[in-house]
Amino acid sequence: EAGVTQFPSHSVIEKGQTVTLRCDPISGHDNLYWYRRVMGKEIKFLLHFVKESKQDESGMPNNRFLAERTGGTYSTLKVQPAELEDSGVYFCASSYNADSYEQYFGPGTRLTVT
Amino acid sequence: AQSVTQLDSQVPVFEEAPVELRCNYSSSVSVYLFWYVQYPNQGLQLLLKYLSGSTLVKGINGFEAEFNKSQTSFHLRKPSVHISDTAEYFCAVLKAAGNKLTFGGGTRVLVKP
């Protein structure tokens, strides 16, 4: 069984540019989560999808971040325009259903905004 | 709201020595507890979890953790570490019936030969 995959693994962009991160969850997992770790800080929750619906987006930092999960399969997280403080590692995780306490994480995308 | 404190940001340890990573949490509601590990250039991998039952939980790679409700702690231990245990370890909590993990700041373990 393939795990959670994320693309790209690294991205370096300039301030003001746009970046789109992609996450492919484990096949059949309804729940998809985005987390972020800014340098030197804790890993923090961004948002949670159940299938294609946003269940909880309380962790999204501001309206420069847009997450989508069309069709309930893969998800994208777009940052537009990127700011320096957006640099960090963005993790995606998935779980089977609401009763599944274990979240399976992808390798993360390291975003550097210069 | 929940919070998690990992008391040590870095722990150097010699190979075959024991290691303990400390984790304390704060929550006004029941939580589930997790330890994740991130090996270099890899994603987070679940080491072990506490949902209910026995307070001593055994995980993969010889790790175990003990849930202490009165001290709101969930310390991780391994009696004898290997070089391959060099990684960053994260303690996390999940509110019962909740959806989002709350993580501690992580503890980097460096195993020396």
Side-chain angles (χ1 to χ4, degrees), chain A residues 2-110:
Chain A
V4 177
T5 58
Q6 293 186 245
F7 182 83
S9 57
H10 294 85
S11 180
V12 181
I13 61 171
E14 292 183 354
K15 177 182 172 181
Q17 289 185 323
T18 298
V19 64
T20 300
L21 313 181
R22 173 170 169 145
C23 169
D24 286 78
I26 293 172
S27 177
H29 281 196
D30 286 342
N31 293 269
L32 187 148
Y33 310 82
W34 284 98
Y35 293 84
R36 176 175 75 168
R37 189 183 194 193
V38 171
M39 185 70 71
K41 300 286 186 71
E42 300 88 357
I43 300 170
K44 290 202 170 177
F45 169 84
L46 296 178
L47 87 159
H48 169 211
F49 283 99
V50 177
K51 297 185 180 179
E52 66 275 8
S53 300
K54 291 177 187 174
Q55 183 77 11
D56 180 353
E57 50 184 332
S58 61
M60 294 288 264
N62 51 60
N63 59 10
R64 295 185 294 103
F65 289 75
L66 175 64
E68 294 179 323
R69 193 183 181 196
T70 306
T73 54
Y74 70 91
S75 174
T76 58
L77 180 64
K78 180 190 286 188
V79 185
Q80 179 182 30
E83 298 289 346
L84 298 178
E85 64 264 25
D86 301 332
S87 296
V89 180
Y90 290 76
F91 292 103
C92 176
S94 70
S95 66
Y96 180 62
N97 59 25
D99 295 327
S100 304
Y101 303 112
E102 181 172 349
Q103 296 181 18
Y104 296 83
F105 280 78
T109 292
R110 181 173 295 279

Side-chain angles (χ1 to χ4, degrees), chain B residues 49-66:
Chain B
K49 60 182 181 284
Y50 174 79
L51 303 181
S52 64
S54 173
T55 57
L56 183 63
V57 180
K58 293 190 182 298
I60 61 171
N61 300 338
F63 284 92
E64 63 180 31
E66 185 151 22

Side-chain angles (χ1 to χ4, degrees), chain B residues 76-107:
Chain B
L76 181 71
R77 302 184 184 94
K78 186 170 181 177
S80 175
V81 296
H82 302 290
I83 296 289
S84 58
D85 292 321
T86 293
E88 190 161 18
Y89 294 78
F90 297 93
C91 182
V93 301
L94 177 70
K95 186 174 66 173
N99 59 347
K100 53 192 172 188
L101 289 164
T102 300
F103 285 89
T107 299

